[in-house]
Each structure stands twice: as C-alpha cells, then as structure tokens.
Amino acid sequence: MSPEGTTRRPTHRQHWHTTSTASLQGRCSSRRCRMPGSSTSNAKKGLLERLQDGVVIGDGGMMSEMCRRGYAITGIWTPEVCVQHPSAVRELHREFARAGAGVLQALNFYSNDQKMKERGLDCTVEEINRAACRLAREVAEEGDQLISASLTATPVFESGASDDDVIADYKQQLKPIMEEGVDFIVCEWLFDIREMELAIAAGRSTGLPVVACMTIGTRGDRNGVSPEQCALRMASAGADVVGMNCAVGPRNALATIRRMRLALESAGLSRPLIVQPNGLKTPDDGTEAHHLPGWPLAMEPHVMNRLEARAFAREAYKEGVRYIGGCCYSTVYHIRAMAEELQEEAGGVAPLASHSGGWAPELANNDDPEVAKRSTKEYWMNVCPTAVEPKPAAEFMAGWADCCGC
C-alpha cells in the first residue's frame, strides 16, 4: 500500500536503480503549494554545505508523537503507521517543517522484516520504507527541507550474526530508500558501537552523506565504551557527521557531546557535530530515560518546556554543534523554540516561528496588567512556571558541563 499524491525526486549521487515510470503514474508535482517564506529554488544545498554555512535544525520525536496521537503502540514502536495512516505522518512532517525544521526524517525507524513478522503485520519493510520516504519528500518539496532515512538497531545483530550478514540486512533496508531518493542517511538508535560501525559501512555504500548518532549519554554505550571512543570510532568508520541522539535529556546530551568534541579535536579529526536529545529532563549522572520509573507511560512530568528548549539550543550552538534537534518526547513546539532561538544563525524565520522572536511582545497590549508584564525575554527566561519547577529557563542549562567529567 502506498500513500496517494506523492512524487519522487531522484537524489544526487544515487547509485541505485530508480523506480519504473509506471510506478510513478498518477503522481504529479506540478501544483505544489509552497510554505510561506520557503525557498522556490530547485537547487537545494546538501547537508554538509548547510552545516558549513550555519545551523541545521532537525525535527523531533516522530514515533513518540505518533504514540501520543494514537497511531503507534507504546512498547512496539514500529512505523507501519506510514502505510496504515499516511495522512497522520504527512501532517506531523508538515508541522515540524512549519516549526522550522530544516530536515525531515522519513519515519522508517526500526523497520525490519523480523519485527514485522513478530507483530503479525501484512505490510513489508519495503512498503514501509517507500511510504516513509514519499511522505517526507512530499512535505519537503513544499519548502526547502532535506530528507533523510535511518538505519537503527536490528535483531540480526542481536542474534549474533556475522558482520557481513548485518550489513546485508541494512543494505536490504536501504534498497527501497535509495530507489525513492533521500539526501542523506542517519545511523541512530544504536546502543553498541560495533553495530554502529556496521550501519555506517552500509550507509557509506550509498555514496550519500552519513550522520552517525550513538544513543548514549555520558556513561557510554551498553558495553561501557566511552563517548570519546564512540566518537573516534564513528569518525574512523567514515561518518560525515558525528554525535548522539535520544537516551538522555539536553544537559547530559551536551556533556556527552563535549567529550566527543574534545576527543575528536585531540585526534586531529574534524567532523560537524549533531545533538538530538530526548525532550526530557533526565538526571545529570547519565541515567537514561528508559531507566526512569515512569518510562514510557508517565513521562509528562519530565518533559521540558519550550523556554528550556531555547536554552538548550543556544548552549548547543555555543558548544560548536551545528545540527541541533530532538528525539523522543521532543514535540513541534520544542523545535519551534529552537528555530526561534537560532533563527539568525539558521538563516531565516520559519513559517510557524514568531518574527518577534517568540517572546510574546504582543502581550504588552493585554488588558490585564499582570499579563501585560509578560511581554519580554527577561520575564520568560527568569520565571518559574509552576511551584514544582525549581528553576527558571535561564538556569536550566547552567552547570551542564559539571556532569561532563572533562
């Protein structure tokens, strides 16, 4: 099954056979409605060019948001929603794009045939991957976003299969992705640096840029391999962009990234950095989100607010990170806040982002004098939103480097 109304744009440096002309019949892109403020040029800069020029804002937690909206099953997290409910995926992509995301990641997360069989689903990995890429591209073509697809942890590796078998499994997942066309490959949701190296090898076989995100905090991978060693091994394996995603919240994520950055610099390796933490406030000691007692059904008390998302984005930029986004529990308003905070560095204002910077200056005209006072950056960065919020947003990221151990 495939979503209707999608089009296919072959990507540059594509080394795979394209889909047949017949498979594209009935899909027309001649009447595209472009988002306000979006580029009308067909000559898009690639990821590495954009990272050289400034900041790239990533999108947020697609799968966690699908769960929240009732389209995915908590604890399973496989992306058959792309086939079963394509309109829901399309709309979420559109919301992230309007919020300011410069990249839309196809929702092919954790898509592999073994998981499909375990779930008793009649859709295949190929169907899911094709649908995921088409949905992301359809929205990206309304603006100027890049699209990516992911390689994640696979049961083939867990089963103790050979390196060649794991790489072959990844390449099988990549085949329909490359036929549909994406701009780069993201290797993510990987907890073992050995599996990451195999995913990078498969990603490099496409000829596209490869972004490598270990799913770790300061405690390192599941075997205790440190963030420093993970960074060096990802770079040595050929990753074009190096960093982390998910696992921990913004504070521990930046501590992890700092350790990665210092290790790369000491080794004379230069790589753009990516950080996409989950949208939660996790402990500074590196405890990962899934070890918290409320995970995954009662995490709302841990979710950061949009002001904290802004504070994180600014600190990440100051740390030298140029690809900044979110993972699980990072919502549209988190990405909007990051885009507003870094709109100058990112080169423009997203359609949904406020031209006034997101500090609600319009409140100055409110009839209630107490509300009218809430119209400045100073107010919002120094307010404690609730009695249970011990710190204002201005202090949210303060002292994050203390958990770095550097």
Side-chain angles (χ1 to χ4, degrees):
M1 184 186 301
S2 62
E4 297 179 357
T6 54
T7 60
R8 183 179 180 280
R9 174 180 57 81
T11 187
H12 66 289
R13 300 172 65 187
Q14 184 169 315
H15 298 295
W16 300 73
H17 294 298
T18 58
T19 53
S20 66
T21 303
S23 69
L24 305 178
Q25 290 177 351
R27 289 183 255 141
C28 176
S29 61
S30 60
R31 295 182 180 179
R32 287 291 177 191
C33 176
R34 306 194 69 84
M35 292 183 183
S38 65
S39 169
T40 58
S41 172
N42 290 323
K44 291 184 178 181
K45 290 183 178 179
L47 175 67
L48 301 182
E49 293 175 283
R50 296 187 187 202
L51 291 171
Q52 283 184 332
D53 293 345
V55 176
V56 172
I57 302 295
D59 59 8
M62 290 285 294
M63 186 59 71
S64 59
E65 189 64 9
M66 285 291 103
C67 286
R68 191 183 72 83
R69 298 183 181 196
Y71 291 103
I73 299 176
T74 299
I76 301 297
W77 298 301
T78 50
E80 61 273 9
V81 62
C82 294
V83 175
Q84 296 174 345
H85 303 283
S87 61
V89 178
R90 184 186 299 111
E91 180 54 32
L92 184 54
H93 279 313
R94 187 169 286 125
E95 290 177 24
F96 278 124
R98 286 182 54 80
V103 172
L104 300 179
Q105 189 164 321
L107 187 57
N108 69 308
F109 172 84
Y110 209 44
S111 178
N112 63 78
D113 283 318
Q114 181 170 327
K115 281 296 176 185
M116 298 300 104
K117 292 176 182 177
E118 289 175 3
R119 293 282 312 282
L121 297 172
D122 59 3
C123 53
T124 66
V125 167
E126 179 173 353
E127 288 177 305
I128 290 174
N129 286 356
R130 288 192 187 280
C133 292
R134 291 171 182 174
L135 289 165
R137 185 185 321 105
E138 179 180 346
V139 177
E141 288 179 346
E142 297 171 359
D144 192 40
Q145 286 78 26
L146 300 174
I147 61 173
S148 67
S150 62
L151 294 176
T152 61
T154 171
V156 178
F157 177 82
E158 294 294 331
S159 71
S162 69
D163 290 357
D164 288 343
D165 286 343
V166 175
I167 293 174
D169 181 70
Y170 280 136
K171 286 185 176 181
Q172 186 65 25
Q173 294 182 44
L174 283 168
K175 187 176 185 295
I177 289 170
M178 295 307 299
E179 289 175 350
E180 291 299 324
V182 296
D183 294 300
F184 61 96
I185 302 298
V186 178
C187 302
E188 63 165 5
W189 210 67
L190 291 156
F191 307 86
D192 189 316
I193 186 59
R194 297 171 300 172
E195 187 173 12
M196 169 62 81
E197 290 169 328
L198 300 178
I200 292 172
R204 280 175 53 82
S205 71
T206 67
L208 295 176
V210 175
V211 175
C213 297
M214 281 297 294
T215 304
I216 59 172
T218 50
R219 296 183 181 184
D221 83 348
R222 62 172 50 168
N223 297 311
V225 179
S226 69
E228 290 88 345
Q229 284 301 309
C230 286
L232 294 174
R233 288 174 66 169
M234 287 188 287
S236 298
D240 298 288
V241 181
V242 169
M244 63 76 63
N245 82 309
C246 209
V248 295
R251 291 173 58 85
N252 196 263
L254 277 193
T256 304
I257 281 291
R258 172 171 286 187
R259 290 173 57 175
M260 288 183 166
R261 176 179 62 80
L262 292 175
L264 291 168
E265 290 177 355
S266 295
L269 297 172
S270 176
R271 295 290 189 280
L273 299 174
I274 177 172
V275 60
Q276 297 199 120
N278 58 42
L280 304 170
K281 290 174 275 191
T282 59
D284 282 355
D285 65 4
T287 299
E288 297 183 0
H290 66 277
H291 289 305
L292 299 178
W295 187 89
L297 295 179
M299 297 304 288
E300 286 81 1
H302 299 279
V303 176
M304 64 178 176
N305 63 48
R306 69 188 69 188
L307 303 174
E308 292 163 337
R310 291 189 72 135
F312 156 69
R314 178 55 59 190
E315 286 297 312
Y317 182 80
K318 288 162 60 177
E319 186 60 21
V321 183
R322 292 298 178 263
Y323 190 151
I324 302 170
C327 199
C328 297
Y329 302 96
S330 296
T331 66
V332 171
Y333 69 78
H334 290 128
I335 301 305
R336 176 181 179 177
M338 295 178 197
E340 286 176 333
E341 178 63 30
L342 297 174
Q343 61 186 30
E344 182 177 342
E345 292 83 355
V349 181
L352 193 60
S354 170
H355 287 260
S356 59
W359 303 115
E362 297 82 3
L363 289 178
N365 299 319
N366 194 280
D367 292 337
D368 187 327
E370 287 300 314
V371 174
K373 295 177 182 178
R374 304 170 189 171
S375 60
T376 65
K377 174 181 179 179
E378 289 69 30
Y379 173 84
W380 288 112
M381 290 304 290
N382 291 287
V383 67
C384 291
T386 69
V388 298
E389 195 69 57
K391 293 181 180 180
E395 299 177 22
F396 172 58
M397 294 302 297
W400 64 264
D402 294 343
C403 54
C404 178
C406 300

